[in-house]
Amino acid sequence: MIIYADGHVLEPRAAWRKLDPAVRPRIETDERGLDHVIVGDDDVFVAKLGQMGTPGSDVSSGSSDPVPLETARAGAFEPRARLLDMDSEGIDLAVLYPTIGLGFWGIRDADAAVSVARAYNDWLADYCSVAPARLAGAAMVPFQSPQAAVEELRRAHGELGLAAAFVRPNPCLGRSIVDDEYAPFWKAAEELDMAVGIHEGFQPAVPPLASDRTPRNILVLHAVSHTFEQMFACAQLIANGVLERHPELRVVFLEAGGGWVPYWLARLDHQVASYGGYAPRMRLTPSEYFARQCWVSFEIDETTLPALAPFVGVDRIVWGSDYPHADSTFPGALAELRATIAPLAPADQERILSANAAALYGLRDPDPG
């Protein structure tokens, strides 16, 4: 079973149709052709939405022509079309994260955030129900309200049957993901046996690390936002004791590549001798926590993967190509990944293609019938 550990949907307008108009996401297009997704007074997602569902798009072209949401590849928002794309690539099962929904971390009204998260999860569960053995959803949890985040996690698991949950690595309403107010969320994720994906995005409503540096360069900020935010979140979850308190919790760091992991764990381990007293909740070394509870998604073209696998742990590596986003590879993602991991032993290749993601998300082989 080939498992794609970090795929995306592109949410259609129909995902929000049942919401009250006051909190329903709306799309406004500016003179540059950019679509603004607005919730209440919050401009939470800015892009040419059609490009977000069209692999190989050049988002830096400078054209002012709009690319409407509806022009995206059908597999971005239609499950049966997606299954055809998966078949053409040889992918058996995909775990799905949002596109527009990554910007909802920037909604400032907690009640609106809760309503939007529930609507997204309902829509995603319906999407996955078309082929539940092949499509697995990661639930959105509204961290704007710590209590509601726990309630939605439990609903996503018990009522909707979603396979995982995701959070952004960034602060939400001024609280970092390891704020003590979120302790019940991490406890619930452990109790429910639901993996949590840490997934960054790049939107002005959620300013990433280094966004205050000038001159601004989108290429630099996009690269930094994903990798540096994941590095910081990894250090926080370890040093602030979340993984110590919840030893059965499973966490995966997504869409930032995996090459940062060996350096970062060695760097964090090195800090312990002189600075360990500042992390009294930490009982193991950072690398030991990672080996026990964490996974990371490598990009399919990371040529350093075979060399770094022994330092990351070959059983800690999953993969994704970012389909159907502009910077994704389609067709040919799986073929490119196979070429990347070809230097590894066959058993290790199988772990990366399948077994690791199955262990992370608690997945089973689909029914051949």
Side-chain angles (χ1 to χ4, degrees), residues 12-259:
R13 299 173 198 266
W16 328 116
R17 67 177 181 270
K18 295 180 181 178
L19 282 172
D20 186 292
V23 298
R24 183 185 303 147
R26 63 189 189 275
I27 300 171
E28 299 179 4
T29 306
D30 67 22
E31 67 281 357
R32 296 169 296 171
L34 292 171
D35 299 310
H36 296 251
V37 180
I38 301 168
V39 178
D41 295 326
D42 295 322
D43 192 349
V44 295
F45 195 94
V46 182
K48 294 183 178 182
L49 291 177
Q51 290 182 332
M52 295 299 97
T54 306
S57 297
D58 180 3
V59 300
S60 65
S61 67
S63 170
S64 61
D65 295 335
V67 186
L69 172 67
E70 289 74 19
T71 66
R73 188 172 185 85
F77 40 69
E78 207 291 310
R80 291 176 179 83
R82 185 187 201 97
L83 291 169
L84 293 176
D85 285 350
M86 289 168 59
D87 289 342
S88 73
E89 291 282 85
I91 296 169
D92 297 301
L93 193 153
V95 181
L96 303 176
Y97 290 81
T99 297
I100 296 170
L102 290 170
F104 294 161
W105 203 253
I107 298 173
R108 291 174 295 175
D109 183 297
D111 290 338
V114 172
S115 296
V116 170
R118 288 178 61 89
Y120 170 77
N121 291 336
D122 288 343
W123 174 82
L124 181 63
D126 186 62
Y127 182 105
C128 293
S129 71
V130 171
R134 301 192 64 192
L135 302 172
M140 181 184 300
V141 286
F143 259 37
Q144 290 86 345
S145 169
Q147 179 179 346
V150 175
E151 293 169 356
E152 187 60 14
L153 182 72
R154 295 189 180 280
R155 188 180 80 94
H157 175 268
E159 180 180 326
L160 302 181
L162 296 177
F166 79 90
V167 299
R168 290 278 298 266
N170 324 75
C172 186
L173 295 186
R175 292 184 294 260
S176 79
I177 61 173
V178 297
D179 189 287
D180 285 344
E181 287 199 54
Y182 296 126
F185 169 82
W186 298 112
K187 183 174 184 290
E190 180 184 39
E191 290 174 349
L192 296 172
D193 198 29
M194 289 184 77
V196 179
I198 313 296
H199 202 303
E200 175 60 319
F202 180 64
Q203 291 297 323
V206 186
L209 288 168
S211 59
D212 58 338
R213 308 291 177 87
T214 55
R216 289 172 58 87
N217 183 295
I218 298 301
L219 182 153
V220 173
L221 285 176
H222 187 269
V224 165
S225 70
H226 285 70
T227 307
F228 284 20
E229 288 285 1
Q230 295 285 33
M231 293 169 73
F232 196 77
C234 175
Q236 284 189 307
L237 289 166
I238 291 170
N240 289 80
V242 172
L243 301 188
E244 171 63 31
R245 291 193 298 274
H246 306 292
E248 301 301 318
L249 178 67
R250 302 189 305 281
V251 175
V252 59
F253 300 96
L254 299 165
E255 206 172 302

